[in-house]
Amino acid sequence: MNGFKTCTTDQLTLQEKQGICTLISQIFGIERTVEYFDREFSHNCKKYSYHCIYQKDSQVLASFCIVPRRYKVAGRTEFFGLSVDTAVSPEAHLGPFGIADMAAEAEALAQKDGCKVLYGFPNDNFYEYNVAILQREDLGFLDFYVVLQAPGQLKKYLKWLDFSRYFLQFWLFLFKTFSSGRVQTYPVEKEDNEEFRTWRYDSNYQRVRFAGGEAVYTLYREKFGMVAYIVDITPLSAKNFYSAFYHISREVKSRAAIIAYPGNKLAFGNLFRVPHRFLPRKLHLVAAGMASGDLPESCRKIANWKINLSDFDVR
C-alpha cells in the first residue's frame, strides 16, 4: 500500500502496527512491540487512539499519533489529545509541511470524536517545528525537584558519602511532619481513576502509600546513573510531596543516584528545585485548541495545569 491513511487504532492492520513499531524503534532507538503498541494506544478512555501514517511499498515511513485523555477543566470533564511518538523516516521525503498535513488529518479525526485540546511534550528536535509550523502555544516547561540519594553512583570516589541519605531522610521526615497537608488544586488536571492507572502504569512502576496519599515512581538508567523518577503524587500537598521523597528514599536505598520529581512550579520544595540554568534540557508543554483553533484561556498557562510525568510517556 502507498500513500496516507488516517484512522483509529482498531482500524490499523497488524502489519501497519508492526510497521509503526519498527519505525519508532529505528528513529528513537527503543524497542517497541505490538503488545506495547496495543497497551499504549488501546487501553485508554476511548479504547483507541488516532493515527495518520504514510506508507510506501507497504512500509510505514511516517507516523503521527494522538492518544485521547480525560481532563478536568474547572470541574468539567473534557477530552484532550496527547501527541506522542511522532516519527519520520528520512526515506519518506515528505518535505517541510508533510508532518503538518498528517497532524491536521489526525487532529480532524480527534476533533470529530470530541477532543477539545491537543497537547504534548516535544523533544528538542521537534520543539521548533511544533511552535513555528504546527502553531502550538509554548505554555512553559517543567521544573525539576531533585535530592541526592547515592553520590557513589555518580563518582566512585564519592561512595563514602552514600551514608548521607540517612541525614536526607532525617530532614525529609521533619519536613513531612511539619508541612501543611492542604491539597493543591488546579483548573486543569487529568482525571485520575483506575482506568487511567491501568493504561499508564505497568510492572515497571512502583507505588508507595503513606498517611494522606500515595506516590508512583520508576527506576530509569540515565547516562550518569540510576534515577528514581517520581511520576505522580496524589493528592499533591507539601506534606505528601516530602512524604513521597522520604518513603522512596527509604525504599530504593543505594539503587538510585538521585530522586527526581519533574512537574510544574510548586509553592513548596524550593530547597530541592534545580535552577533553570542547570537543567540539561527543558521539557516544554505545548498545546493548541482543536475545535476553533483557540486554546481555552484556562489552559494557556502551565501554572494552571497539574502536570508531571504521569501526563506523558518518556520514562
Side-chain angles (χ1 to χ4, degrees):
M1 180 178 177
N2 293 324
F4 296 93
K5 177 177 180 178
T6 305
C7 63
T8 52
T9 309
D10 53 312
Q11 295 168 330
L12 290 168
T13 67
L14 177 59
Q15 183 179 358
E16 289 165 342
K17 291 179 181 180
Q18 290 171 332
I20 296 172
C21 290
T22 300
L23 175 66
I24 291 172
S25 297
Q26 290 173 345
I27 299 301
F28 299 113
I30 53 177
E31 183 181 356
R32 283 293 168 88
T33 63
V34 172
E35 291 73 23
Y36 184 98
F37 181 95
D38 285 335
R39 181 178 173 276
E40 181 178 16
F41 294 112
S42 297
H43 296 179
N44 55 58
C45 55
K46 286 185 176 286
K47 309 305 178 188
Y48 55 78
S49 299
Y50 315 98
H51 307 265
C52 184
I53 61 175
Y54 172 69
Q55 300 179 85
K56 186 176 181 181
D57 298 328
S58 298
Q59 181 182 0
V60 177
L61 297 179
S63 173
F64 187 92
C65 307
I66 299 172
V67 180
R69 301 280 303 276
R70 281 196 184 100
Y71 272 76
K72 291 284 189 181
V73 183
R76 185 179 66 256
T77 299
E78 301 280 9
F79 284 107
F80 284 18
L82 170 62
S83 175
V84 296
D85 292 346
T86 300
V88 185
S89 168
E91 299 173 17
H93 302 298
L94 292 179
F97 298 102
I99 282 294
D101 293 337
M102 294 178 66
E105 290 293 323
E107 289 168 31
L109 184 60
Q111 176 190 335
K112 186 178 179 181
D113 203 31
C115 287
K116 304 293 186 184
V117 171
L118 180 77
Y119 76 98
F121 294 83
N123 61 27
D124 294 340
N125 297 328
F126 199 42
Y127 167 73
E128 293 294 343
Y129 191 91
N130 265 264
V131 175
I133 305 298
L134 299 183
Q135 299 293 295
R136 313 289 192 231
E137 291 189 33
D138 183 354
L139 307 187
F141 53 87
L142 301 189
D143 278 284
F144 275 72
Y145 297 84
V146 171
V147 297
L148 191 59
Q149 176 77 1
Q153 278 203 35
L154 304 178
K155 298 290 183 181
K156 287 185 179 179
Y157 63 80
L158 294 177
K159 190 167 181 60
W160 66 277
L161 286 174
D162 282 1
F163 77 92
S164 62
R165 71 175 178 272
Y166 298 112
F167 292 100
L168 167 68
Q169 290 166 9
F170 171 75
W171 286 107
L172 288 171
F173 178 82
L174 293 181
F175 283 141
K176 80 180 186 67
T177 301
F178 296 105
S179 293
S180 169
R182 185 173 66 86
V183 174
Q184 298 285 299
T185 58
Y186 298 85
V188 182
E189 57 182 299
K190 67 181 179 293
E191 195 170 89
D192 188 0
N193 52 29
E194 196 57 38
E195 180 183 67
F196 163 78
R197 296 183 180 200
T198 300
W199 168 77
R200 180 61 181 83
Y201 305 125
D202 59 18
S203 58
N204 293 317
Y205 296 87
Q206 289 80 44
R207 182 175 283 112
V208 292
R209 294 180 172 87
F210 38 80
E214 64 179 29
V216 177
Y217 76 95
T218 185
L219 292 171
Y220 185 86
R221 182 166 295 282
E222 299 284 7
K223 292 180 180 178
F224 56 81
M226 193 70 78
V227 178
Y229 281 102
I230 301 177
V231 178
D232 200 10
I233 301 170
T234 309
L236 183 58
S237 66
K239 182 179 286 293
N240 288 349
F241 174 84
Y242 295 118
S243 294
F245 274 95
Y246 172 75
H247 286 282
I248 292 170
S249 176
R250 287 170 58 89
E251 192 166 292
V252 302
K253 299 182 172 63
S254 60
R255 288 183 295 149
I258 65 173
I259 303 172
Y261 174 73
N264 50 350
K265 189 173 182 180
L266 303 173
F268 41 83
N270 285 332
L271 282 175
F272 306 137
R273 186 164 65 88
V274 178
H276 292 165
R277 65 181 179 276
F278 294 132
L279 291 175
R281 75 181 185 94
K282 294 177 180 178
L283 292 174
H284 289 266
L285 170 61
V286 301
M290 284 193 195
S292 65
D294 293 328
L295 191 63
E297 195 61 37
S298 57
C299 299
R300 279 210 152 96
K301 295 180 180 178
I302 195 172
N304 287 344
W305 296 57
K306 185 199 175 187
I307 203 86
N308 53 36
L309 288 184
S310 69
D311 293 271
F312 63 109
D313 258 331
V314 297
R315 299 289 175 229

